[in-house]
Amino acid sequence: MRILMCLIVALLGLGAAPLPAQHIPSIHPAPPIDDKENLLYLDLSTGGRVTILLRPDVAPMMVERIKTLTRRGFYNGLLFHRVIEGFMAQTGDPKGNGTGGSDLPDVKAEFNYLPHVRGAVSAARPGAPEGASPEQIEAANNGANSQFFIVFEPRLGLDRKYTVFGRVIAGMEHVDAVNRGEPPVDPSRILRAAIAADNPPPYQPPANATASAPPVDLGPAVTLPGAEPAPANSAPPSKPAPAPAKPQPRR
């Protein structure tokens, strides 16, 4: 009789609706947006402060690297050396050409579920050569160091291939204003990077680089025979700076 009852219960269960999927919370929940220890400030030369929410819950090693270098002052003054319209703005290279990094070891890949959507902040790394061996691919995947990029428009093809470690939550308009180019002719830069918990000062706009220097008193103008008098305080035209060399950036 007991066996018959078990069979009946089993048959009834086959026709029952499946239970809804359960949401299992993350072991390491995302930090709240007011967690100052996980807020990165980037004061840009384009006119304001960018606030990035760091995600140690999914990329603890990369977040720790960013915090360490920020607190060293590593990012202060660095250029956006590779900026592609509709794609991303890349920075974090002390050489300014995409080939440099910090003196710290490279960071292992922490590919995660966060997508490369607008405002995503992701670690740059070297690309593996065409036809690369598994060892070369692994080395490239684990090659992140100090460089990172901020996404302008969604690039979901990069998901789980690069480590997303944060997202812009304020000031994206200042990223949008970064000068484009590979490299840009007149690159924008990070004036100062800071962690909010360290209580940095408010954004300070850069000094006007185009402001003219006070005139230098050269004394009375000298007139050469057969020449018109030279205007006072005249100066020879400046020679234009040579164009920067084509970089080999981390992708």
Side-chain angles (χ1 to χ4, degrees):
M1 187 66 177
R2 180 178 297 178
I3 296 176
L4 179 60
M5 290 298 296
C6 290
L7 289 173
I8 293 172
V9 172
L11 290 172
L12 291 174
L14 290 176
L19 294 174
Q22 294 182 353
H23 172 70
I24 302 175
S26 173
I27 298 176
H28 303 287
I33 61 173
D34 59 353
D35 179 3
K36 291 188 174 183
E37 182 57 31
N38 287 301
L39 290 179
L40 172 65
Y41 292 156
L42 299 180
D43 291 351
L44 303 189
S45 62
T46 54
R49 173 168 288 177
V50 178
T51 303
I52 297 168
L53 177 64
L54 301 174
R55 294 292 302 272
D57 55 311
V58 295
M61 292 186 292
M62 195 65 210
V63 167
E64 185 60 32
R65 171 59 53 84
I66 294 296
K67 289 181 181 179
T68 297
L69 294 179
T70 296
R71 284 173 164 143
R72 283 187 179 184
F74 177 88
Y75 292 110
N76 298 346
L78 296 192
L79 307 177
F80 283 89
H81 62 271
R82 181 172 179 250
V83 185
I84 303 175
E85 180 65 43
F87 181 14
M88 60 88 215
Q90 186 171 337
T91 185
D93 177 15
K95 293 183 177 180
N97 61 11
T99 64
S102 74
D103 60 345
L104 299 176
D106 289 344
V107 180
K108 290 185 178 180
E110 296 176 291
F111 303 157
N112 54 67
Y113 64 85
L114 295 179
H116 285 78
V117 293
R118 175 169 168 79
V121 187
S122 192
R125 60 172 179 79
E130 186 176 353
S133 66
E135 292 77 13
Q136 289 174 312
I137 294 174
E138 181 179 9
N141 288 344
N142 295 327
N145 191 287
S146 64
Q147 294 188 44
F148 60 88
F149 59 93
I150 303 174
V151 179
F152 291 132
E153 301 295 339
R155 285 296 180 102
L156 303 185
L158 302 181
D159 293 357
R160 299 184 186 275
K161 298 177 182 177
Y162 292 81
T163 298
V164 179
F165 64 87
R167 189 170 182 183
V168 175
I169 60 172
M172 187 65 191
E173 66 272 18
H174 304 305
V175 182
D176 290 335
V178 167
N179 291 336
R180 272 55 169 173
E182 298 184 71
V185 175
D186 181 21
S188 306
R189 66 178 64 237
I190 300 172
L191 301 176
R192 178 190 176 99
I195 302 299
D198 297 337
N199 298 315
Y203 175 82
Q204 298 292 328
N208 187 358
T210 62
S212 58
V216 179
D217 184 8
L218 301 179
V222 177
T223 304
L224 300 178
E228 293 294 330
N233 300 329
S234 63
S238 59
K239 183 179 180 181
K246 182 72 174 177
Q248 299 296 324
R250 294 190 175 204
R251 306 291 179 181

